[in-house]
Amino acid sequence: MKILYFAWLKAKTGTAEEEVSPPAAIATIADLVEWLKGRSPGHADALSDLRLIRVAVNQDHVGLDHPVGPNDEVAFFPPVTGGGR
Amino acid sequence: MKILYFAWLKAKTGTAEEEVSPPAAIATIADLVEWLKGRSPGHADALSDLRLIRVAVNQDHVGLDHPVGPNDEVAFFPPVTGGGR
Amino acid sequence: MIRVQAEDFDPGAELAGFAAGNHKVGGICMFLGLVRDFLGAVPDGAPPVTAMTLEHYPGMTEKQLAAIEAQARARWPLEEVLIIHRFGRLEAGDRIVLVAAASAHREAAFEACHFLIDWLKTKAPFWKLEHAEGGDLWVEAKESDDLAAERWAKKT
Amino acid sequence: MIRVQAEDFDPGAELAGFAAGNHKVGGICMFLGLVRDFLGAVPDGAPPVTAMTLEHYPGMTEKQLAAIEAQARARWPLEEVLIIHRFGRLEAGDRIVLVAAASAHREAAFEACHFLIDWLKTKAPFWKLEHAEGGDLWVEAKESDDLAAERWAKKT
């Protein structure tokens, strides 16, 4: 499973992209977040407040109850701020 | 008093612009319309249905009860159709 | 700025020059109105329209457009406003009108631009005469244009 | 058409080429978003912002913008759609984004263009990092942008 971090999540985790192999019990984004928090204090910090975080699976926006599998690309990022003012 | 006609009112009256001197009793646009209808059958035809006509006094849109005086420029025209689609 | 003219204009050049160098501008909204292909706009059996002529009321046009610009500036915090409207003979694909509004904020730019074109269509003294093989016909005003303009009146 | 690029673009040339020669088009609505002067955007006492960097998620950006274009085309009868969004370092006055919609009718062009920019701002994975003398700060999403996007969701 490929994990991507953007904006301040990249700074806090110290990682832009990592390949992980969570146990089979990790079935949803919510499960995955809890599991990823164990990887480092930076991960725990970055993922501590789920209200500040948005998630995409295979480049589509999803909710915390979305399923995840070994071949998925999962991205964590803050709410987007593109466009003009 | 200067009277202007645009679009199909110009065709029906046969006039783009005319100088008129209505009697002092002609105090409003509604009075003026009735008076102008006596100028020719074309005028009577052009001004017969007030629902189809808009009026400007001194280049501002006005209603039928708007006052008119000797020095006014009064224009009659159909509802406007500028702009794109 | 208001321009009423028979000549064509270059929308790319207008956009390139519009609000250029004004760093208070965060958003520009621009609307360009064109003469659409007349095919399909004609009732069954009627001769096809080949061109149109836009008549206007010189003097009143500029006065009404200036009033519309002033209204827009009073309602939204605008940095720049541009209205260009052509008159005279026009054919399919020809440009008719360009309106643009620049503001610090995109919502103001959008709303002001939309307001400008909606009000222009019911306040500016232009009339379209369509030319067809069988003769000429004055285009009638659309109720939808009145409704579009009223929408803004209600918001005040 | 979707373009995501670091390079600047020429809005005048884009408008000049947009829907050119398509005589079904009666109206084009275009929005251009610029980097506004940072003065005044900074709280009292904070160091002035000098520039920003737009980070994005390559691949997802294109996918989301294409989905937004498809949504707009499904909702309005559009002849042409254009979205250009830059990423990388930008300074005051720089162009960020251009969206445009062409339709037979002006209302469709306006609504689709407005929808495109509103949805882009809440769906396309871009993040602004502002650079100031004291350090860098990630710009937080605005609730007003969420509300602007929701407005379109309610209409379906």
Side-chain angles (χ1 to χ4, degrees):
Chain A
M1 188 184 299
K2 186 177 174 185
I3 313 287
L4 303 172
Y5 303 96
F6 291 94
W8 53 258
L9 280 99
K10 182 164 60 180
K12 285 195 174 183
T13 62
T15 310
E17 182 177 334
E18 57 189 348
E19 195 64 40
V20 299
S21 302
I26 303 301
T28 68
I29 293 293
D31 298 340
L32 180 64
V33 167
E34 284 312 305
W35 184 79
L36 286 169
K37 281 159 91 171
R39 286 179 69 81
S40 81
H43 283 72
D45 181 25
L47 299 170
S48 62
D49 189 346
L50 290 174
R51 291 170 304 177
L52 305 179
I53 296 171
R54 299 294 177 270
V55 190
V57 170
N58 300 326
Q59 308 188 345
D60 279 319
H61 297 279
V62 300
L64 291 172
D65 55 350
H66 194 276
V68 285
N71 298 317
D72 285 337
E73 174 178 305
V74 182
F76 295 94
F77 44 77
V80 305
T81 56
R85 295 266 172 176
Chain B
M1 188 185 299
K2 186 178 175 184
I3 312 287
L4 303 173
Y5 304 95
F6 291 95
W8 54 258
L9 281 99
K10 181 163 61 181
K12 286 196 174 182
T13 61
T15 311
E17 182 177 334
E18 57 189 350
E19 194 65 40
V20 300
S21 300
I26 302 302
T28 68
I29 293 294
D31 298 339
L32 179 63
V33 166
E34 285 311 305
W35 185 79
L36 287 168
K37 282 159 91 170
R39 286 179 69 81
S40 82
H43 283 73
D45 181 25
L47 299 170
S48 63
D49 189 346
L50 290 175
R51 291 170 304 178
L52 304 180
I53 296 171
R54 300 294 178 269
V55 190
V57 170
N58 300 326
Q59 308 188 343
D60 279 318
H61 297 280
V62 300
L64 291 171
D65 55 351
H66 194 275
V68 285
N71 298 316
D72 285 337
E73 174 178 304
V74 182
F76 296 95
F77 44 77
V80 306
T81 56
R85 294 266 171 174
Chain C
M1 185 197 279
I2 308 292
R3 280 157 46 197
V4 180
Q5 61 190 49
E7 312 84 62
D8 193 15
F9 55 87
D10 177 346
E14 298 297 342
L15 177 56
F18 183 65
N22 183 339
H23 289 183
K24 290 181 191 164
V25 173
I28 292 172
C29 186
M30 180 171 273
F31 176 78
L32 176 63
L34 304 154
V35 180
R36 207 176 54 173
D37 204 335
F38 297 99
L39 299 171
V42 178
D44 281 348
V49 174
T50 52
M52 67 159 72
T53 297
L54 259 171
E55 182 177 333
H56 80 123
Y57 180 175
M60 181 170 172
T61 306
E62 289 80 357
K63 185 176 182 179
Q64 293 300 315
L65 293 179
I68 293 166
E69 172 176 349
Q71 279 265 359
R73 286 183 180 273
R75 292 178 66 163
W76 291 278
L78 303 177
E79 293 292 326
E80 312 273 349
V81 171
L82 175 63
I83 305 175
I84 307 175
H85 205 301
R86 292 178 69 192
F87 59 87
R89 185 182 170 89
L90 298 169
E91 299 184 3
D94 281 354
R95 288 170 274 267
I96 307 173
V97 61
L98 185 148
V99 300
S103 175
H105 300 282
R106 85 175 182 288
E107 213 47 43
F110 258 107
E111 290 197 358
C113 186
H114 207 162
F115 166 87
L116 287 168
I117 187 72
D118 281 350
W119 268 44
L120 181 157
K121 286 185 79 79
T122 58
K123 306 275 183 190
F126 288 97
W127 303 277
K128 288 197 187 96
L129 179 63
E130 288 185 347
H131 307 297
E133 281 184 34
D136 297 342
L137 192 68
W138 288 102
V139 174
E140 283 187 31
K142 286 186 292 186
E143 194 189 6
S144 61
D145 286 336
D146 288 335
L147 295 173
E150 272 170 30
R151 177 174 54 184
W152 299 105
K154 278 177 193 156
K155 279 198 187 171
T156 41
Chain D
M1 185 196 279
I2 308 291
R3 280 157 46 198
V4 180
Q5 60 189 50
E7 313 83 63
D8 193 14
F9 55 87
D10 177 346
E14 298 297 343
L15 177 55
F18 183 65
N22 183 340
H23 289 182
K24 291 182 190 162
V25 173
I28 292 173
C29 186
M30 180 172 272
F31 177 78
L32 175 64
L34 304 154
V35 181
R36 208 175 53 175
D37 204 334
F38 298 99
L39 298 171
V42 179
D44 282 347
V49 174
T50 51
M52 67 159 72
T53 297
L54 258 172
E55 181 176 334
H56 82 123
Y57 179 175
M60 180 170 174
T61 306
E62 289 81 357
K63 184 175 183 179
Q64 293 300 315
L65 292 179
I68 293 166
E69 173 176 349
Q71 280 264 0
R73 286 184 180 272
R75 292 177 67 163
W76 291 278
L78 302 177
E79 294 292 327
E80 311 272 350
V81 171
L82 174 64
I83 305 175
I84 307 174
H85 204 301
R86 292 178 68 192
F87 58 87
R89 185 182 170 90
L90 298 168
E91 299 184 3
D94 282 354
R95 289 170 274 267
I96 307 174
V97 61
L98 184 148
V99 300
S103 175
H105 301 281
R106 84 175 183 288
E107 211 49 41
F110 258 107
E111 290 196 0
C113 185
H114 208 161
F115 166 86
L116 287 168
I117 187 72
D118 282 350
W119 268 44
L120 181 157
K121 286 184 78 81
T122 58
K123 307 274 181 190
F126 288 97
W127 302 276
K128 289 197 187 95
L129 180 63
E130 288 185 346
H131 307 298
E133 282 183 33
D136 297 342
L137 192 68
W138 288 102
V139 174
E140 284 188 30
K142 286 187 292 186
E143 194 189 5
S144 61
D145 287 335
D146 289 335
L147 295 174
E150 273 171 29
R151 177 174 54 183
W152 299 105
K154 277 175 193 157
K155 279 199 188 170
T156 41

